[in-house]
Amino acid sequence: MLGLRVAVAASGALLAPLAATAEAAQTNVAVAANFNEPAKQIAALFKQKTGHDAILSFGASGAFLAQITHEAPFQVFLSADQDRPKAAIDAGLAVPESLFTYAIGKLVLWSKVIDVTKGDEALKAGAFAKISIANPNAAPYGTSAIETMKALGVYDALRGKIVQGSNIAQAFQFVDTRNAEVGFVALSQLFSATEGTRWEVPQNLYTPIRQDAVLLKKGAADEASKAFLEFLKGPEARAVIEKFGYGLD
């Protein structure tokens, strides 16, 4: 099943006039769930500047790769890792020279129930019944969560308490609704959060979450798709990405 689709457009008052030779079009973009809010803002700015619509679908990177392999109608892929875009290239489904890192993600331990400001101590104490992570087979942030627990020597003690979301958005929802007392989420998801405590996981505890974008073969001849990737590299998009707490190359 395809991820949730969202058409993002700027308000009429913000639209810049299109160049006389430009023709508004649309691109279908598969977006890793951690990048939900930044992608919406970037798509609105993209619409404002170019007139093109970016139709956004959100989900787990692994699930998107499977969909792309089975002819899903995506033209751009914004993954939460480097492996899936490379796999798309290796399978002949993406344009190799279009590949680049658009963001470097950061992992956070978050709770609305217990104090996790000293996250390593909270994990070692294990004073909770459930800990939420994204499915590590489909979502890179889930892999990073397991790496972190193993690096701290708490994985074996906590593995029976783990509940998995299908993607990082669902892992976040489990904590947000208190169905899990604590969970590993993306820093970007806490941009507007006012409740709870958090611990930004030291980046030496997990492999850097380098998030790559790639133009899919279905968008290779599509001007809106190519324009969206170029816009993603530009200063306006990078400002949004940085605002949400991601690192940049």
Side-chain angles (χ1 to χ4, degrees), residues 115-180:
D115 185 356
V116 295
T117 50
K118 295 181 179 178
D120 52 345
E121 294 180 13
L123 291 171
K124 288 172 183 175
F128 47 83
K130 294 179 182 178
I131 180 168
S132 172
I133 70 170
N135 178 359
N137 294 321
Y141 280 81
T143 303
S144 298
I146 289 178
E147 285 182 346
T148 296
M149 288 186 281
K150 287 182 175 179
L152 292 172
V154 299
Y155 179 68
D156 288 339
L158 297 180
R159 65 189 306 173
K161 299 182 179 185
I162 292 173
V163 292
Q164 292 185 13
S166 58
N167 55 51
I168 197 67
Q170 191 173 53
F172 176 91
Q173 185 179 33
F174 287 157
V175 182
D176 193 38
T177 57
R178 302 175 193 254
N179 285 308

Side-chain angles (χ1 to χ4, degrees), residues 27-174:
T27 178
N28 295 297
V29 187
V31 185
N34 74 88
F35 204 64
N36 185 318
E37 292 304 320
K40 290 177 183 177
Q41 292 192 18
I42 290 167
L45 291 169
F46 176 67
K47 169 74 173 180
Q48 178 183 334
K49 187 168 184 177
T50 68
H52 299 317
D53 285 306
I55 309 301
L56 308 176
S57 299
F58 300 101
S61 300
F64 276 136
L65 178 61
Q67 292 167 17
I68 290 163
T69 302
H70 290 90
E71 299 295 321
F74 297 120
Q75 294 154 310
V76 174
F77 182 23
L78 271 55
S79 183
D81 67 357
Q82 294 185 300
D83 294 342
R84 270 80 177 199
K86 185 178 184 303
I89 290 170
D90 292 344
L93 299 170
V95 180
E97 57 271 22
S98 70
L99 184 71
F100 70 98
T101 298
Y102 66 93
I104 302 170
K106 296 176 184 175
L107 187 69
V108 174
L109 188 70
W110 180 49
S111 177
K112 295 172 78 172
V113 178
I114 65 173
D115 185 356
V116 295
T117 50
K118 295 181 179 178
D120 52 345
E121 294 180 13
L123 291 171
K124 288 172 183 175
F128 47 83
K130 294 179 182 178
I131 180 168
S132 172
I133 70 170
N135 178 359
N137 294 321
Y141 280 81
T143 303
S144 298
I146 289 178
E147 285 182 346
T148 296
M149 288 186 281
K150 287 182 175 179
L152 292 172
V154 299
Y155 179 68
D156 288 339
L158 297 180
R159 65 189 306 173
K161 299 182 179 185
I162 292 173
V163 292
Q164 292 185 13
S166 58
N167 55 51
I168 197 67
Q170 191 173 53
F172 176 91
Q173 185 179 33
F174 287 157

